[in-house]
Amino acid sequence: MSLSKKIKDLLHNQPPKTENQDDPAAAISGDGLVRFHLLFSGRVQQVGFRYEAQQLAITLKLTGWVKNLFNGQVEMEIQGQPEKIESLINQLSIVGWIRIDRVERQQLPVDRQEKQFIVTG
């Protein structure tokens, strides 16, 4: 299975939407915004991953943050239209010096106060 197919499956196989607004999985806003916590594994540190992620997020008008973890993974929270988030991940996966082996995803409530995408660490 290609990475692009894996990413599409990851982002589209979301838990069913419910009416319970206390459930983070149900936190899709009326304007279609979603927020994900993502953990990237692979060759994702010391290859410009965070810079590329920030530039793509700005271009795609996504908000959130990205940072390196001590275990070699990169952690990201990203918010926006689902297809734009998918595009960001797909574009990161084709940057020659980045190799994404795995993306772990958890859906979070949308943060209405967030206005930009930053590198935090």
Side-chain angles (χ1 to χ4, degrees):
M1 179 183 295
S2 74
L3 182 59
S4 179
K5 170 83 170 101
K6 288 180 188 177
I7 292 167
K8 285 181 182 177
D9 289 348
L10 176 71
L11 291 174
H12 291 290
N13 292 334
Q14 299 174 19
K17 298 174 193 165
T18 66
E19 296 301 317
N20 181 357
Q21 293 303 313
D22 295 329
D23 179 6
I28 297 177
S29 69
D31 53 6
L33 294 180
V34 295
R35 183 178 188 86
F36 290 111
H37 177 264
L38 303 173
L39 283 176
F40 294 89
S41 299
R43 190 175 60 230
V44 293
Q45 288 195 15
Q46 299 180 350
V47 291
F49 185 99
R50 293 174 300 158
Y51 174 80
E52 292 289 339
Q54 183 181 41
Q55 296 309 303
L56 287 167
I58 290 167
T59 299
L60 294 167
K61 298 184 179 7
L62 299 169
T63 63
W65 52 264
V66 63
K67 71 177 181 178
N68 284 343
L69 298 179
F70 291 111
N71 66 2
Q73 293 179 303
V74 172
E75 180 180 27
M76 180 187 295
E77 282 193 16
I78 191 153
Q79 178 171 287
Q81 301 292 327
E83 63 277 2
K84 290 184 178 185
I85 294 172
E86 181 179 334
S87 177
L88 177 134
I89 296 170
N90 283 332
Q91 290 180 56
L92 282 172
S93 71
I94 61 172
V95 174
W97 48 88
I98 294 172
R99 188 189 75 241
I100 300 172
D101 294 334
R102 187 175 71 227
V103 181
E104 297 174 44
R105 172 194 64 106
Q106 178 183 7
Q107 192 167 353
L108 301 171
V110 170
D111 178 355
R112 293 276 172 207
Q113 304 306 311
E114 189 173 70
K115 303 296 182 206
Q116 60 184 349
F117 189 94
I118 60 170
V119 175
T120 65

